Amino acid sequence: MYIFTVGGCGEFGMNLTLYVNQGVCLLVDCGLSFAEPFEIGIDAHIPALEELESILGMKPTAYLITHGHEDHLGALPYFLTRWPAPVYIGPWALELLKDKLLQLEDSTSYELHEIRSGGSCRVGHAKIDWIHVPHSIPQCSALAIDMGHGNRIFHTGDFKVRGFLPSDPDLDLGTLARNAQAAPFRVMVADSTNAGSVGECPSEDTVLPELKDCFSAAQGISYLTTFSSNLWRIKTVLRAAMETQKKVLVFGAGLRKSLDIGAKLKLLGDESQALVDEDAATRLDRKDLVVLCSGCQGEYRSGLKRIMNDEVNHLQVKSEDQVIFSSRVIPGNEKAIFKLISLGHEKGARMITAREKPGIHVSGHAYAGDLSRLIQAVNPQFYMPVHGTFTQIRTNQALAPRVEQVIPARNGRVIAVGADGFETFAEFDLPSLFIDSWSRLPMSYDNMRSRHKIGDSGMAICTGLLGPQQHMQIEVEFIGLPFADAAEEEACEMQILGSLHHLYQAESRKEFSLVSFNEQARLMIRRKLSDLFVKKPVVISKIYAIDR
């Protein structure tokens, strides 16, 4: 059996693992990773499909999706267009997938199989059991994958042990241990996100009294932001509002989508009575209103960011208000979040984060104690931590009962596993594609780099015509270059036009090549601008000749 980790090792996001045995290729999760701030106009990264296909020499037999978070689901629509195959997926994640395909205007009829925890499916000779695990998004599953000949894998996905009762039951470790004893697992592939946290991850139920305390103390509007996909937290906010006689206005498309799916799948109860629309919210006393908004990571154009920037007429933060971050800081987002917090302090509002009040957020990922309990229940022959930075993965590796049973995972590494042990079979340098923010279409690294180059160093475009008797009609346009003023920009253009005229004279004395002239013009303009600004901007020369 071969295990190929495509993403999720040494990074947050792009979780994708392949299990291959006797002609069956199971692709477990198909996630994206979010773009870096400097990647202009890029929303996310996904694995490059052509390279993967050339490495595998085959297409996936089926996709198995553990849950609906973007880092486990977000790349699937792009994979399906090139690699159509049956998809086995939970109800919540299926609704999200359908929405993504709709956004991409993909009307293809894919083979989508809804499967709930406790169910099972067969793909070729492989049998997969779907085991309920609690998490911060509904209807998540770990996978017990039987590839035959003793090759059984326990793939945790994202999980914790304590659920959100009664909506999200606890992980049933007793039943899992009995099943593992009857049919032993060769490999356990485990989430590493919170491996460095001591003890056990608290239940979502513990957040309710903390939020009630916050709402009860409100002197003005309570603005609360959390992850839009976390329906359990949304339910907790609504319940806390009900029990403190508050009403909740939802502001943010992602939050509304979660509520719509929750209602469709009958995951909402009487707590939804706390919801009000914008018209009703304006008639409430400010202290009786909770505004549940997106933007807990300081995302551009998110609900909270727009409110804090005074871009929403009916929602303005005042000194008597409080802003509650019921979330954790995802590494890389610190600066954006701290800017929002600073802006709130400038307005005089009370800013509450998990640092000031730790109980207002609990994670959806297992702590070290949870992982140890699960390892004991599954009792695998080999243990393979994934999903996290190398620091987190290394911490998770230390939880294994024996050092020699740890399989070291890395993106691009193929591990061959058998009854007698494991070995690294191959390693590949895997490129990524970059998802454009507006079109949602993937682009190559070279195209993304060209865009970044323009944003970083500026651009000059030279266009025009070359006529007879060395007559020129040429214009030069500068984009994003730091000229001191219009006069300096005009002087630079005149110098460039003079140099182009001399170049045209020199080239006309020999056999003229328009291709050569454009390339020399491009290099000359770039040198001139580099002398002025140090950086070398992107230069495009599109000059044409007529009637020479």
Side-chain angles (χ1 to χ4, degrees):
M1 177 178 67
Y2 298 92
I3 304 176
F4 184 12
T5 47
V6 175
C9 294
E11 63 182 350
F12 283 106
M14 213 186 292
N15 294 285
L16 195 162
T17 308
L18 290 154
Y19 299 101
V20 183
N21 177 254
Q22 294 182 314
V24 171
C25 176
L26 302 178
L27 195 155
V28 176
D29 287 333
C30 195
L32 54 73
S33 60
F34 292 104
E36 299 291 344
F38 63 83
E39 292 173 340
I40 301 167
I42 301 297
D43 269 356
H45 308 162
I46 64 171
L49 302 179
E50 288 186 18
E51 285 77 1
L52 268 182
E53 189 172 359
S54 65
I55 290 169
L56 288 170
M58 63 189 302
K59 296 180 180 180
T61 313
Y63 298 93
L64 312 175
I65 306 300
T66 62
H67 67 286
H69 275 141
E70 287 286 271
D71 59 331
H72 293 257
L73 175 67
L76 183 55
Y78 301 98
F79 271 61
L80 284 172
T81 58
R82 185 177 180 90
W83 290 355
V87 178
Y88 296 88
I89 187 169
W92 182 275
L94 178 57
E95 292 300 321
L96 293 174
L97 174 60
K98 289 177 180 177
D99 184 68
K100 291 177 183 299
L101 292 170
L102 187 65
Q103 290 179 30
L104 292 172
E105 299 181 351
D106 187 346
S107 58
T108 308
S109 181
Y110 296 110
E111 189 178 339
L112 307 178
H113 299 276
E114 180 180 299
I115 187 163
R116 296 175 179 266
S117 295
S120 63
C121 62
R122 284 194 172 273
V123 179
H125 64 266
K127 180 177 181 292
I128 304 98
D129 294 318
W130 298 70
I131 299 165
H132 167 75
V133 290
H135 187 40
S136 58
I137 193 172
Q139 298 170 334
C140 302
S141 295
L143 305 178
I145 304 171
D146 190 340
M147 303 288 279
H149 305 287
N151 291 312
R152 295 192 77 224
I153 307 134
F154 188 84
H155 188 106
T156 70
D158 290 358
F159 82 100
K160 58 196 285 187
V161 171
R162 295 182 182 176
F164 176 43
L165 301 175
S167 302
D168 198 27
D170 292 348
L171 176 55
D172 189 349
L173 292 172
T175 299
L176 182 57
R178 289 189 292 273
N179 291 342
Q181 189 172 15
F185 287 98
R186 181 150 291 161
V187 183
M188 175 173 163
V189 178
D191 171 23
S192 303
T193 304
N194 278 341
S197 298
V198 178
E200 297 179 356
C201 184
S203 165
E204 174 67 28
D205 297 285
T206 63
V207 177
L208 179 61
E210 301 291 335
L211 291 186
K212 286 172 61 178
D213 287 347
C214 290
F215 294 166
S216 296
Q219 300 299 309
I221 294 177
S222 297
Y223 294 93
L224 185 143
T225 182
T226 190
F227 297 104
S228 296
S229 63
N230 191 344
L231 185 71
W232 305 147
R233 185 63 44 78
I234 296 171
K235 283 171 67 73
T236 301
V237 171
L238 296 176
R239 177 61 59 184
M242 280 191 68
E243 296 185 11
T244 54
Q245 288 77 54
K246 311 289 183 180
K247 294 295 183 180
V248 179
L249 174 67
V250 176
F251 190 75
L255 288 163
R256 288 194 294 270
K257 183 192 301 180
S258 290
L259 282 168
D260 289 344
I261 297 174
K264 180 178 180 178
L265 299 179
K266 296 180 171 53
L267 295 172
L268 293 176
D270 61 353
E271 68 271 0
S272 59
Q273 297 172 16
L275 292 167
V276 293
D277 60 19
E278 181 182 320
D279 183 59
T282 59
R283 295 195 298 269
L284 292 171
D285 190 300
R286 290 179 65 86
K287 66 181 176 58
D288 293 330
L289 179 62
V290 175
V291 178
L292 176 59
C293 44
S294 59
C296 67
Q297 301 302 303
E299 300 95 328
Y300 176 68
R301 302 302 298 166
S302 64
L304 180 60
K305 196 160 191 176
R306 291 172 58 205
I307 292 169
M308 296 290 275
N309 286 327
D310 297 325
E311 296 176 18
V312 184
N313 290 333
H314 62 285
L315 295 173
Q316 294 182 330
V317 177
K318 298 184 178 181
S319 59
E320 67 268 23
D321 297 337
Q322 59 183 358
V323 181
I324 305 165
F325 285 78
S326 183
S327 57
R328 71 182 179 93
V329 179
I330 295 177
N333 294 334
E334 294 89 349
K335 187 175 181 180
I337 295 171
F338 293 157
K339 277 187 176 181
L340 274 182
I341 293 172
S342 177
L343 185 56
H345 282 137
E346 181 188 15
K347 294 175 180 293
R350 182 187 180 201
M351 306 301 291
I352 305 173
T353 70
R355 177 178 294 180
E356 292 81 23
K357 199 171 179 64
I360 61 173
H361 174 68
V362 294
S363 177
H365 296 267
Y367 288 8
D370 301 310
L371 285 162
S372 294
R373 291 177 65 192
L374 186 58
I375 293 170
Q376 184 177 9
V378 174
N379 191 26
Q381 183 180 357
F382 303 113
Y383 186 58
M384 185 173 174
V386 295
H387 195 319
T389 66
F390 287 121
T391 301
Q392 293 163 327
I393 288 174
R394 185 171 181 178
T395 303
N396 197 357
Q397 289 173 345
L399 300 176
R402 304 184 311 278
V403 173
E404 63 272 15
Q405 77 179 125
V406 174
I407 299 177
R410 184 181 292 270
N411 291 347
R413 179 173 290 174
V414 181
I415 302 290
V417 184
D420 298 330
F422 63 87
E423 64 178 357
T424 298
F425 179 78
E427 294 206 41
F428 301 95
D429 185 14
L430 300 175
S432 295
L433 297 177
F434 300 82
I435 304 301
D436 178 66
S437 298
W438 294 102
S439 69
R440 306 299 299 165
L441 296 174
M443 66 172 69
S444 69
Y445 170 78
D446 288 339
N447 286 341
M448 189 280 294
R449 189 174 181 275
S450 295
R451 175 183 287 183
H452 183 216
K453 176 71 172 174
I454 293 169
D456 181 66
S457 303
M459 185 177 188
I461 303 173
C462 182
T463 57
L465 300 172
L466 302 177
Q469 287 83 48
Q470 300 176 6
H471 176 72
M472 293 188 343
Q473 186 177 345
I474 295 176
E475 293 182 352
V476 182
E477 181 181 2
F478 304 110
I479 301 171
L481 295 173
F483 289 105
D485 50 36
E488 184 184 39
E489 183 174 344
E490 184 178 355
C492 180
E493 182 180 6
M494 296 307 296
Q495 290 177 18
I496 289 173
L497 291 176
S499 298
L500 286 172
H501 185 72
H502 291 310
L503 176 62
Y504 188 24
Q505 288 178 325
E507 289 294 300
S508 295
R509 298 189 190 105
K510 53 187 178 181
E511 185 176 352
F512 184 81
S513 166
L514 188 61
V515 173
S516 174
F517 179 83
N518 271 294
E519 178 60 14
Q520 290 185 68
R522 187 185 71 83
L523 294 173
M524 180 273 293
I525 295 170
R526 193 173 69 162
R527 281 194 298 270
K528 170 66 177 174
L529 296 174
S530 178
D531 289 342
L532 281 174
F533 305 121
V534 182
K535 289 184 177 181
K536 295 179 179 179
V538 173
V539 178
I540 297 174
S541 180
K542 293 291 184 183
I543 300 172
Y544 300 91
I546 56 170
D547 300 327
R548 289 192 73 258

